[in-house]
């Protein structure tokens, strides 16, 4: 009797994880997309603060909802919250570059987000220039000392 009770418990858990859990994940994405659509409508009506709130609700439901993440960036830009917008756009680009489970239809958000970053992320661009300059200097030193001290270069 105890054995069959344990088997029943394991099978019940497997059924929950295999059937109900994915359903709730899909429901979360559906709900997130609904909030994102509402955010889009608020944005079109130039209700930018309301749009940002709706995009945030969408992201509470599903943090990988790229339409909501991109929309949040646009709404934050419209309310002069550039730093928050830049963070949202960076996350969109990173999510698409990672490529894990991102629907093909959402990949255009990365190029749009990158365009917005090119326009508004002056600090990030300056940091990239500094990193490139530093890397070039390190490479120059490594090249110079390659034959003199090979262990140092590696």
């Amino acid at each position: 009797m105890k054995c069959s009770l344990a088997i029943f418990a394991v099978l019940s858990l497997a059924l929950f994880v295999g059937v109900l859990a994915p359903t709730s994940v899909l429901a979360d994405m559906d709900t997130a997309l609904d909030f994102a659509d509402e955010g889009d409508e608020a944005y079109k009506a130039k209700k930018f603060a309301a749009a940002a709130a709706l995009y945030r609700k969408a992201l509470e439901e599903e943090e990988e909802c790229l339409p909501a993440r991109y929309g949040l960036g646009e709404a934050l830009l419209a309310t002069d919250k550039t730093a928050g917008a830049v963070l949202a756009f960076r996350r969109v680009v990173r999510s698409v570059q990672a490529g894990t489970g991102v629907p093909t239809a959402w990949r255009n958000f990365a190029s749009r987000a990158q365009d917005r970053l090119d326009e508004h992320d002056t600090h990030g661009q300056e940091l990239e220039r500094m990193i490139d300059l530093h890397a070039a200097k390190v490479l120059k030193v490594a090249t110079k000392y390659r034959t003199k001290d090979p262990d140092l270069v590696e």
Side-chain angles (χ1 to χ4, degrees):
M1 184 68 165
K2 287 183 181 179
C3 182
S4 63
L5 202 56
I7 291 172
F8 176 75
V10 169
L11 289 175
S12 297
L13 180 62
L15 181 65
F16 174 77
V17 170
V19 174
L20 296 179
T23 303
S24 68
V25 168
L26 291 175
D28 290 345
M29 183 57 82
D30 287 342
T31 303
L33 289 171
D34 288 342
F35 280 126
D37 289 343
E38 290 178 35
D40 290 344
E41 292 302 316
Y43 186 89
K44 288 175 189 170
K46 300 196 183 308
K47 297 177 181 177
F48 303 121
L54 287 162
Y55 293 131
R56 284 190 177 104
K57 278 187 176 184
L59 294 168
E60 287 173 13
E61 290 294 325
E62 177 54 61
E63 67 179 25
E64 295 304 319
C65 181
L66 292 190
R69 180 87 48 205
Y70 179 82
L72 177 61
E74 289 292 348
L76 291 173
L77 270 183
T79 56
D80 294 325
K81 296 179 180 166
T82 306
V86 164
L87 292 175
F89 292 138
R90 283 182 187 163
R91 184 134 180 217
V92 169
V93 171
R94 276 196 309 265
S95 293
V96 173
Q97 286 174 342
T100 53
V102 176
T104 304
W106 290 3
R107 295 190 180 277
N108 68 335
F109 286 112
S111 61
R112 290 166 51 193
Q114 187 60 57
D115 290 344
R116 297 307 248 161
L117 286 172
D118 291 345
E119 292 173 38
H120 299 283
D121 187 16
T122 55
H123 296 296
Q125 292 169 3
E126 181 61 28
L127 181 60
E128 283 184 30
R129 281 192 288 277
M130 290 169 56
I131 290 169
D132 290 344
L133 180 62
H134 181 72
K137 287 180 180 180
V138 168
L139 184 60
K140 185 176 178 181
V141 169
T143 302
K144 180 178 177 180
Y145 287 99
R146 181 182 341 181
T147 57
K148 293 180 183 177
D149 191 352
D151 293 333
L152 177 67
V153 174
E154 294 187 23

